[in-house]
Amino acid sequence: QSNKDIDLGTENFIEVQHAFEVLSNQLRRRDYDLFDVDELQDIAKIVKKRYVGDKLSRLELPLLKTSEDDITDDDTKVLTTENFGSMLRDEVTWLIQVYSIGSESCRKFSPSWKRIVTWLDGVANSGKVELGEVQLAAYLAERNRVTGRPFFRY
């Protein structure tokens, strides 16, 4: 085999492995199926660059790391489909974070979110909506102009 064949095989394997890891993780699959969210889609590109010319046996698996940190341990109100209407009755401004409990990006953003909530205390109310609250998350999402499906930019 030529190096080009090995590169293509490794590249294809990385793409398949990435898809497998997204679809075999319950939270990542939910986020992808409902909202086309694959926050780790750039990982495959990064891994391809890192392993260009290498053999498959040199790949470090899994490609996607799983975080065990709990990002719901702050005092922010958790908004649900059931309590959303009653929570927003007063005419106070709300800052709402839509997050996925399985998201590495959300975990990294959590300390910043806590600081923002502290700064806005007394100025605005704050709350969180987990993507598993599908109806509420879909209500807060933007809509794809072509498909009409809800999506989140980041």
Side-chain angles (χ1 to χ4, degrees), residues 119-136:
W119 292 333
L120 293 177
D121 189 32
V123 177
N125 289 334
S126 58
K128 288 180 171 183
V129 175
E130 209 282 325
L131 282 180
E133 285 288 332
V134 178
Q135 271 187 304
L136 186 52

Side-chain angles (χ1 to χ4, degrees), residues 66-107:
T66 304
S67 173
E68 301 299 324
D69 294 347
D70 184 6
I71 62 174
T72 61
D73 64 352
D74 58 36
D75 294 330
T76 306
K77 294 173 186 80
V78 176
L79 302 176
T80 64
T81 304
E82 290 78 30
N83 71 11
F84 184 69
S86 63
M87 298 281 260
L88 299 179
R89 285 200 179 136
D90 35 330
E91 294 184 21
V92 177
T93 302
W94 276 82
L95 178 65
I96 300 173
Q97 178 192 27
V98 180
Y99 71 99
S100 171
I101 200 158
S103 165
E104 180 66 16
S105 295
C106 290
R107 185 193 63 75

Side-chain angles (χ1 to χ4, degrees), residues 3-132:
N3 284 340
K4 188 174 184 177
D5 292 335
I6 294 171
D7 288 348
L8 186 57
T10 302
E11 189 172 313
N12 288 340
F13 178 83
I14 290 169
E15 289 177 16
V16 170
Q17 180 66 27
H18 175 262
F20 172 78
E21 289 181 29
V22 167
L23 297 176
S24 63
N25 178 290
Q26 184 178 1
L27 291 171
R28 288 186 190 127
R29 183 179 184 135
R30 177 203 67 189
D31 296 351
Y32 183 80
D33 286 348
L34 295 175
F35 300 105
D36 292 331
V37 172
D38 178 9
E39 68 173 6
L40 302 171
Q41 61 189 347
D42 293 337
I43 296 294
K45 293 176 191 169
I46 293 167
V47 171
K48 284 179 195 178
K49 286 181 183 175
R50 183 184 316 154
Y51 290 101
V52 69
D54 279 348
K55 296 181 180 180
L56 290 175
S57 61
R58 297 200 32 134
L59 282 173
E60 294 177 31
L61 298 177
L63 300 175
L64 309 177
K65 308 299 182 223
T66 304
S67 173
E68 301 299 324
D69 294 347
D70 184 6
I71 62 174
T72 61
D73 64 352
D74 58 36
D75 294 330
T76 306
K77 294 173 186 80
V78 176
L79 302 176
T80 64
T81 304
E82 290 78 30
N83 71 11
F84 184 69
S86 63
M87 298 281 260
L88 299 179
R89 285 200 179 136
D90 35 330
E91 294 184 21
V92 177
T93 302
W94 276 82
L95 178 65
I96 300 173
Q97 178 192 27
V98 180
Y99 71 99
S100 171
I101 200 158
S103 165
E104 180 66 16
S105 295
C106 290
R107 185 193 63 75
K108 287 179 181 176
F109 181 69
S110 186
S112 297
W113 173 256
K114 290 175 187 177
R115 281 194 306 276
I116 292 167
V117 168
T118 301
W119 292 333
L120 293 177
D121 189 32
V123 177
N125 289 334
S126 58
K128 288 180 171 183
V129 175
E130 209 282 325
L131 282 180

